[in-house]
Amino acid sequence: MNCKILNLTYLNTKTLSVILEAEGDFDFLAGQYVVVELGESEKLPFSIASSPEGNRKFELHLGGISKDSTLAKSAVYLQQCFQNKESVIVESAKGHAWLRPADGKIVLVAGGSGYTYTRSLLKEVLKRNPESDITLYWGCHSEADLYEHGYLAELEAAYSGFTYIPVTEVTPKSVVARQGGLLAIVYEDCDFNTLPDIYICGRYEMVQVAYLHLKNKCEGRLNIYSDALPAA
């Protein structure tokens, strides 16, 4: 389908927000992704960063942009399309790790740019039930990579059931984030005996390690969702 680019904004030096509007019908579930055509021979998948609003608009985040990288070239392509008022081609929404109905606690685990996936889930959960018990762990290399820290802190203040836990690998300059390994902190903090629904996105290896650890710990009783895992 063809999509108009409504806005491009750099959220930090490495992350570009792209707001699109489909020119025809477009439906998706919170937690799904799309494949975008970026020139004649390039196609890349991106998690949808927004929750479904029913207005054909949606947001993508291109994270990890660095000089001469594939994503840098993709960003240039999108900027050219935006300036020239040209549409981009986006395939229909894909993915099986979309948000399921839940009565209990929800835990979101995001490694780096995997935050985009959990952002969509978080927004949808709070829209459906502002009293939801939901925790987001977002692990990055440094505090500078937590590009929506302020936004998440505001959400945490506004919603009593939402807990935001930023984690960084390097020593923080302030008390903004906890230092350490993302999964180690998740394992230490969470009461998995309550059997929360777990949604996780990040490096493929990280997801596999977390899945095996948590399934063994809880004897297979946990619901764990990720597009890096087989469909549940």
Side-chain angles (χ1 to χ4, degrees):
M1 65 183 171
N2 290 332
C3 292
K4 299 176 183 177
I5 302 176
L6 300 182
N7 192 41
L8 297 175
T9 306
Y10 271 93
L11 303 175
N12 66 3
T13 58
K14 300 177 181 178
T15 308
L16 177 67
S17 165
V18 184
I19 298 179
L20 299 163
E21 181 178 40
E23 296 179 3
D25 293 337
F26 175 62
D27 296 313
F28 69 94
L29 300 170
Q32 290 192 303
Y33 67 92
V34 291
V35 175
V36 183
E37 292 190 13
L38 299 161
E40 295 181 358
S41 59
E42 188 73 58
K43 289 184 178 183
L44 291 174
F46 298 99
S47 293
I48 300 173
S50 49
S51 63
E53 299 292 345
N55 57 8
R56 299 187 296 176
K57 296 180 182 178
F58 59 102
E59 182 176 358
L60 307 178
H61 290 177
L62 278 66
I65 298 173
S66 60
K67 185 179 180 181
D68 299 326
S69 67
T70 298
L71 282 179
K73 296 175 183 177
S74 300
V76 170
Y77 174 81
L78 291 171
Q79 289 168 339
Q80 291 174 341
C81 290
F82 181 53
Q83 292 168 358
N84 297 330
K85 297 183 179 180
E86 297 175 350
S87 298
V88 295
I89 298 176
V90 179
E91 297 180 6
S92 58
K94 308 176 188 298
H96 58 257
W98 38 269
L99 181 66
R100 269 61 168 185
D103 295 326
K105 184 176 178 61
I106 297 172
V107 176
L108 310 177
V109 182
S113 59
Y115 163 69
T116 307
Y117 163 75
T118 58
R119 184 183 193 269
S120 175
L121 297 170
L122 174 63
K123 289 171 69 68
E124 183 67 9
V125 167
L126 295 178
K127 182 171 67 174
R128 292 182 186 180
N129 180 9
E131 304 301 319
S132 295
D133 185 351
I134 181 168
T135 299
L136 167 63
Y137 292 86
W138 185 13
C140 291
H141 177 68
S142 69
E143 289 183 2
D145 300 314
L146 298 167
Y147 60 86
E148 282 201 328
H149 173 76
Y151 166 71
L152 293 170
E154 289 176 1
L155 284 184
E156 185 178 35
Y159 293 91
S160 60
F162 172 48
T163 302
Y164 162 51
I165 302 176
V167 179
T168 58
E169 297 175 6
V170 298
T171 304
K173 295 179 180 178
S174 65
V175 294
V176 166
R178 290 169 62 179
Q179 183 190 3
L182 173 61
L183 293 183
I185 287 176
V186 172
Y187 299 157
E188 177 185 342
D189 279 8
C190 285
D191 179 6
F192 294 105
N193 292 320
T194 62
L195 300 181
D197 283 357
I198 310 290
Y199 295 83
I200 182 168
C201 188
R203 290 184 299 105
Y204 177 83
E205 295 80 4
M206 182 198 81
V207 174
Q208 303 305 310
V209 167
Y211 176 78
L212 291 174
H213 177 87
L214 295 176
K215 279 296 184 181
N216 289 333
K217 182 179 181 66
C218 298
E219 299 177 345
R221 295 176 297 141
L222 270 180
N223 292 321
I224 305 176
Y225 303 102
S226 175
D227 279 319
L229 298 170

